[in-house]
Amino acid sequence: MENGLEERLREALSRPLPNWREVYERFSPRDLETGERRPRVPPEGVSAREAAVLIPVVRGEGRIVYTLRREGLRNHAGQISFPGGGFEPEDSSLLETALRESHEEVLLDPSRVEVLGRLEKMYIPASGFLVSPYVGLLPEGTELSLSSPGEVQEIFTVPLEVLMAPETFREIVWRRGGREYAVPVFSVGDHNIWGATAAMTAGLLVRLGWEPR
């Protein structure tokens, strides 16, 4: 990652994103019949469980690290995600949750992570989690391994410049439960990054000047 981009990341994460809710909800699947999207903040009266993820960015090419979760899991099976999970009583903070889970899932040494800041919290209706996404820089050449193969099937990285390229962002139509949904995705290779992970990715990219068409 060039120093210029590194500094842009630091500066962008030093302040809140004014339209963060609009950015997040832009990436909720849209019911093609009703036009409705799921909210990204908890409904009034709903108690959400706190969780945290790490958005790892590798220095050098500025690659973001993603994981592919295995089918059959209780939450978010078969989906692309960031390393992370639910807050546990032994965690001193949500940042510790993100770092602990990253070590458990991809053997990332917390001491090698330079945390730059946190994106706005995101509510995930399907699991009831309220997720705090932390952005962290990893040393160039960092190698990660599957330490929890029963949960994580694959680790892959995508350069920021690829994610921000116009041809990467698109909408696809999925049919679920007899209904059709327009789903915004970042399409990279064999992977479609969608849902909360795509929304958090967008929350970072918009800070760097990206605009979804």
Side-chain angles (χ1 to χ4, degrees):
M1 180 187 298
E2 297 179 358
N3 288 337
L5 179 55
E6 208 169 301
E7 289 307 312
R8 285 172 61 202
L9 278 170
R10 295 179 194 278
E11 196 277 333
L13 289 162
S14 68
R15 61 183 187 275
L17 185 66
N19 62 332
W20 65 270
R21 184 169 177 176
E22 177 186 337
V23 172
Y24 280 177
E25 293 189 356
R26 170 72 174 80
F27 281 81
S28 290
R30 174 171 52 88
D31 189 313
L32 286 177
E33 183 176 334
T34 66
E36 293 180 350
R37 300 181 189 269
R38 288 183 171 182
R40 288 306 186 190
V41 296
E44 187 175 351
V46 170
S47 178
R49 183 186 174 193
E50 294 278 2
V53 300
L54 183 69
I55 303 177
V57 183
V58 184
R59 285 185 169 98
E61 295 184 23
R63 290 178 169 268
I64 294 185
V65 178
Y66 295 95
T67 61
L68 176 62
R69 294 170 62 82
R70 287 200 175 276
E71 298 287 352
L73 297 175
R74 180 177 179 181
N75 290 316
H76 312 298
Q79 294 184 17
I80 292 168
S81 63
F82 294 116
F87 177 83
E88 299 294 347
E90 62 269 23
D91 295 334
S92 62
S93 65
L94 285 163
L95 174 56
E96 184 175 324
T97 299
L99 294 174
R100 173 182 56 77
E101 289 279 351
S102 296
H103 182 262
E104 291 177 3
E105 292 182 12
V106 296
L107 286 180
L108 177 58
D109 182 348
S111 68
R112 294 175 64 82
V113 181
E114 181 184 353
V115 178
L116 298 182
R118 192 191 76 182
L119 305 184
E120 288 75 17
K121 292 187 177 185
M122 174 181 296
Y123 177 61
I124 304 180
S127 60
F129 282 121
L130 183 61
V131 180
S132 293
Y134 292 88
V135 179
L137 283 178
L138 310 186
E140 187 172 358
T142 296
E143 294 187 4
L144 302 173
S145 303
L146 294 178
S147 52
S148 182
E151 181 177 348
V152 177
Q153 177 177 324
E154 180 186 349
I155 303 168
F156 66 98
T157 64
V158 185
L160 282 164
E161 63 180 18
V162 171
L163 289 165
M164 297 177 76
E167 63 271 17
T168 301
F169 175 72
R170 64 187 65 176
E171 273 196 353
I172 59 177
V173 176
W174 286 356
R175 188 171 182 83
R176 298 284 174 89
R179 305 184 74 86
E180 289 189 335
Y181 297 86
V183 183
V185 304
F186 293 100
S187 183
V188 289
D190 296 331
H191 299 297
N192 283 324
I193 302 168
W194 67 283
T197 303
M200 288 184 274
T201 298
L204 178 59
L205 299 185
V206 167
R207 283 174 157 86
L208 297 173
W210 177 77
E211 293 183 12
R213 64 179 188 276

PDB file of all heavy atoms in Angstrom, residues 179-194:
ATOM      1  N   ARG A 179     -39.935 -15.142  -3.538  1.00  0.00           N
ATOM      2  CA  ARG A 179     -39.873 -13.720  -3.846  1.00  0.00           C
ATOM      3  C   ARG A 179     -38.556 -13.407  -4.544  1.00  0.00           C
ATOM      4  O   ARG A 179     -37.568 -14.121  -4.368  1.00  0.00           O
ATOM      5  CB  ARG A 179     -40.016 -12.877  -2.581  1.00  0.00           C
ATOM      6  CG  ARG A 179     -41.263 -13.175  -1.777  1.00  0.00           C
ATOM      7  CD  ARG A 179     -41.397 -12.249  -0.595  1.00  0.00           C
ATOM      8  NE  ARG A 179     -41.800 -10.917  -0.994  1.00  0.00           N
ATOM      9  CZ  ARG A 179     -43.065 -10.535  -1.165  1.00  0.00           C
ATOM     10  NH1 ARG A 179     -44.053 -11.408  -0.983  1.00  0.00           N
ATOM     11  NH2 ARG A 179     -43.369  -9.306  -1.519  1.00  0.00           N
ATOM     12  N   GLU A 180     -38.550 -12.329  -5.314  1.00  0.00           N
ATOM     13  CA  GLU A 180     -37.333 -11.923  -6.012  1.00  0.00           C
ATOM     14  C   GLU A 180     -36.755 -10.676  -5.348  1.00  0.00           C
ATOM     15  O   GLU A 180     -37.482  -9.762  -4.952  1.00  0.00           O
ATOM     16  CB  GLU A 180     -37.622 -11.643  -7.487  1.00  0.00           C
ATOM     17  CG  GLU A 180     -37.922 -12.907  -8.288  1.00  0.00           C
ATOM     18  CD  GLU A 180     -37.999 -12.632  -9.780  1.00  0.00           C
ATOM     19  OE1 GLU A 180     -38.297 -11.474 -10.152  1.00  0.00           O
ATOM     20  OE2 GLU A 180     -37.753 -13.561 -10.566  1.00  0.00           O
ATOM     21  N   TYR A 181     -35.417 -10.663  -5.251  1.00  0.00           N
ATOM     22  CA  TYR A 181     -34.719  -9.560  -4.605  1.00  0.00           C
ATOM     23  C   TYR A 181     -33.597  -9.060  -5.512  1.00  0.00           C
ATOM     24  O   TYR A 181     -32.890  -9.866  -6.135  1.00  0.00           O
ATOM     25  CB  TYR A 181     -34.112 -10.000  -3.271  1.00  0.00           C
ATOM     26  CG  TYR A 181     -35.133 -10.438  -2.246  1.00  0.00           C
ATOM     27  CD1 TYR A 181     -35.610 -11.749  -2.215  1.00  0.00           C
ATOM     28  CD2 TYR A 181     -35.629  -9.530  -1.310  1.00  0.00           C
ATOM     29  CE1 TYR A 181     -36.551 -12.141  -1.277  1.00  0.00           C
ATOM     30  CE2 TYR A 181     -36.574  -9.923  -0.365  1.00  0.00           C
ATOM     31  CZ  TYR A 181     -37.018 -11.224  -0.364  1.00  0.00           C
ATOM     32  OH  TYR A 181     -37.958 -11.613   0.572  1.00  0.00           O
ATOM     33  N   ALA A 182     -33.438  -7.748  -5.574  1.00  0.00           N
ATOM     34  CA  ALA A 182     -32.284  -7.148  -6.228  1.00  0.00           C
ATOM     35  C   ALA A 182     -31.189  -7.027  -5.180  1.00  0.00           C
ATOM     36  O   ALA A 182     -31.388  -6.397  -4.138  1.00  0.00           O
ATOM     37  CB  ALA A 182     -32.636  -5.777  -6.788  1.00  0.00           C
ATOM     38  N   VAL A 183     -30.050  -7.654  -5.452  1.00  0.00           N
ATOM     39  CA  VAL A 183     -28.980  -7.730  -4.459  1.00  0.00           C
ATOM     40  C   VAL A 183     -27.733  -7.029  -4.996  1.00  0.00           C
ATOM     41  O   VAL A 183     -27.113  -7.489  -5.956  1.00  0.00           O
ATOM     42  CB  VAL A 183     -28.649  -9.203  -4.131  1.00  0.00           C
ATOM     43  CG1 VAL A 183     -27.592  -9.283  -3.043  1.00  0.00           C
ATOM     44  CG2 VAL A 183     -29.902  -9.965  -3.731  1.00  0.00           C
ATOM     45  N   PRO A 184     -27.322  -5.913  -4.382  1.00  0.00           N
ATOM     46  CA  PRO A 184     -26.078  -5.255  -4.786  1.00  0.00           C
ATOM     47  C   PRO A 184     -24.881  -6.099  -4.342  1.00  0.00           C
ATOM     48  O   PRO A 184     -24.846  -6.582  -3.202  1.00  0.00           O
ATOM     49  CB  PRO A 184     -26.110  -3.915  -4.037  1.00  0.00           C
ATOM     50  CG  PRO A 184     -27.519  -3.752  -3.584  1.00  0.00           C
ATOM     51  CD  PRO A 184     -28.037  -5.133  -3.367  1.00  0.00           C
ATOM     52  N   VAL A 185     -23.910  -6.280  -5.216  1.00  0.00           N
ATOM     53  CA  VAL A 185     -22.748  -7.110  -4.896  1.00  0.00           C
ATOM     54  C   VAL A 185     -21.480  -6.474  -5.443  1.00  0.00           C
ATOM     55  O   VAL A 185     -21.512  -5.691  -6.399  1.00  0.00           O
ATOM     56  CB  VAL A 185     -22.876  -8.541  -5.473  1.00  0.00           C
ATOM     57  CG1 VAL A 185     -24.142  -9.228  -4.992  1.00  0.00           C
ATOM     58  CG2 VAL A 185     -22.823  -8.533  -6.996  1.00  0.00           C
ATOM     59  N   PHE A 186     -20.364  -6.836  -4.822  1.00  0.00           N
ATOM     60  CA  PHE A 186     -19.048  -6.639  -5.419  1.00  0.00           C
ATOM     61  C   PHE A 186     -18.667  -7.994  -6.003  1.00  0.00           C
ATOM     62  O   PHE A 186     -18.483  -8.972  -5.263  1.00  0.00           O
ATOM     63  CB  PHE A 186     -18.025  -6.205  -4.366  1.00  0.00           C
ATOM     64  CG  PHE A 186     -18.271  -4.834  -3.793  1.00  0.00           C
ATOM     65  CD1 PHE A 186     -18.881  -4.681  -2.562  1.00  0.00           C
ATOM     66  CD2 PHE A 186     -17.896  -3.700  -4.492  1.00  0.00           C
ATOM     67  CE1 PHE A 186     -19.106  -3.423  -2.024  1.00  0.00           C
ATOM     68  CE2 PHE A 186     -18.115  -2.428  -3.977  1.00  0.00           C
ATOM     69  CZ  PHE A 186     -18.725  -2.290  -2.731  1.00  0.00           C
ATOM     70  N   SER A 187     -18.580  -8.069  -7.317  1.00  0.00           N
ATOM     71  CA  SER A 187     -18.312  -9.329  -7.994  1.00  0.00           C
ATOM     72  C   SER A 187     -16.822  -9.420  -8.312  1.00  0.00           C
ATOM     73  O   SER A 187     -16.301  -8.665  -9.138  1.00  0.00           O
ATOM     74  CB  SER A 187     -19.137  -9.412  -9.282  1.00  0.00           C
ATOM     75  OG  SER A 187     -18.952 -10.650  -9.920  1.00  0.00           O
ATOM     76  N   VAL A 188     -16.139 -10.345  -7.630  1.00  0.00           N
ATOM     77  CA  VAL A 188     -14.686 -10.502  -7.796  1.00  0.00           C
ATOM     78  C   VAL A 188     -14.365 -11.976  -8.008  1.00  0.00           C
ATOM     79  O   VAL A 188     -14.555 -12.797  -7.126  1.00  0.00           O
ATOM     80  CB  VAL A 188     -13.924  -9.938  -6.582  1.00  0.00           C
ATOM     81  CG1 VAL A 188     -13.994  -8.426  -6.566  1.00  0.00           C
ATOM     82  CG2 VAL A 188     -14.460 -10.467  -5.254  1.00  0.00           C
ATOM     83  N   GLY A 189     -13.909 -12.311  -9.207  1.00  0.00           N
ATOM     84  CA  GLY A 189     -13.600 -13.704  -9.503  1.00  0.00           C
ATOM     85  C   GLY A 189     -14.824 -14.579  -9.364  1.00  0.00           C
ATOM     86  O   GLY A 189     -15.878 -14.301  -9.945  1.00  0.00           O
ATOM     87  N   ASP A 190     -14.702 -15.641  -8.564  1.00  0.00           N
ATOM     88  CA  ASP A 190     -15.812 -16.562  -8.344  1.00  0.00           C
ATOM     89  C   ASP A 190     -16.708 -16.131  -7.194  1.00  0.00           C
ATOM     90  O   ASP A 190     -17.628 -16.858  -6.816  1.00  0.00           O
ATOM     91  CB  ASP A 190     -15.274 -17.967  -8.042  1.00  0.00           C
ATOM     92  CG  ASP A 190     -14.521 -18.569  -9.219  1.00  0.00           C
ATOM     93  OD1 ASP A 190     -14.855 -18.204 -10.369  1.00  0.00           O
ATOM     94  OD2 ASP A 190     -13.605 -19.382  -8.990  1.00  0.00           O
ATOM     95  N   HIS A 191     -16.441 -14.974  -6.603  1.00  0.00           N
ATOM     96  CA  HIS A 191     -17.152 -14.561  -5.402  1.00  0.00           C
ATOM     97  C   HIS A 191     -18.043 -13.350  -5.645  1.00  0.00           C
ATOM     98  O   HIS A 191     -17.646 -12.408  -6.343  1.00  0.00           O
ATOM     99  CB  HIS A 191     -16.164 -14.214  -4.285  1.00  0.00           C
ATOM    100  CG  HIS A 191     -15.290 -15.355  -3.872  1.00  0.00           C
ATOM    101  ND1 HIS A 191     -15.785 -16.522  -3.323  1.00  0.00           N
ATOM    102  CD2 HIS A 191     -13.942 -15.505  -3.913  1.00  0.00           C
ATOM    103  CE1 HIS A 191     -14.789 -17.342  -3.049  1.00  0.00           C
ATOM    104  NE2 HIS A 191     -13.658 -16.755  -3.402  1.00  0.00           N
ATOM    105  N   ASN A 192     -19.227 -13.385  -5.041  1.00  0.00           N
ATOM    106  CA  ASN A 192     -20.092 -12.216  -4.954  1.00  0.00           C
ATOM    107  C   ASN A 192     -20.160 -11.799  -3.490  1.00  0.00           C
ATOM    108  O   ASN A 192     -20.688 -12.531  -2.651  1.00  0.00           O
ATOM    109  CB  ASN A 192     -21.502 -12.525  -5.471  1.00  0.00           C
ATOM    110  CG  ASN A 192     -21.577 -12.555  -6.983  1.00  0.00           C
ATOM    111  OD1 ASN A 192     -20.898 -11.779  -7.662  1.00  0.00           O
ATOM    112  ND2 ASN A 192     -22.395 -13.440  -7.528  1.00  0.00           N
ATOM    113  N   ILE A 193     -19.593 -10.628  -3.187  1.00  0.00           N
ATOM    114  CA  ILE A 193     -19.619 -10.112  -1.825  1.00  0.00           C
ATOM    115  C   ILE A 193     -20.898  -9.305  -1.670  1.00  0.00           C
ATOM    116  O   ILE A 193     -21.126  -8.337  -2.394  1.00  0.00           O
ATOM    117  CB  ILE A 193     -18.387  -9.224  -1.565  1.00  0.00           C
ATOM    118  CG1 ILE A 193     -17.099 -10.021  -1.803  1.00  0.00           C
ATOM    119  CG2 ILE A 193     -18.410  -8.668  -0.142  1.00  0.00           C
ATOM    120  CD1 ILE A 193     -15.850  -9.160  -1.852  1.00  0.00           C
ATOM    121  N   TRP A 194     -21.764  -9.711  -0.745  1.00  0.00           N
ATOM    122  CA  TRP A 194     -23.071  -9.082  -0.644  1.00  0.00           C
ATOM    123  C   TRP A 194     -23.437  -8.901   0.827  1.00  0.00           C
ATOM    124  O   TRP A 194     -22.693  -9.254   1.735  1.00  0.00           O
ATOM    125  CB  TRP A 194     -24.143  -9.909  -1.367  1.00  0.00           C
ATOM    126  CG  TRP A 194     -24.436 -11.246  -0.734  1.00  0.00           C
ATOM    127  CD1 TRP A 194     -23.677 -12.380  -0.816  1.00  0.00           C
ATOM    128  CD2 TRP A 194     -25.552 -11.576   0.089  1.00  0.00           C
ATOM    129  NE1 TRP A 194     -24.269 -13.402  -0.094  1.00  0.00           N
ATOM    130  CE2 TRP A 194     -25.409 -12.938   0.473  1.00  0.00           C
ATOM    131  CE3 TRP A 194     -26.664 -10.860   0.543  1.00  0.00           C
ATOM    132  CZ2 TRP A 194     -26.350 -13.587   1.281  1.00  0.00           C
ATOM    133  CZ3 TRP A 194     -27.596 -11.512   1.349  1.00  0.00           C
ATOM    134  CH2 TRP A 194     -27.437 -12.858   1.701  1.00  0.00           C
TER     135      TRP A 194
END
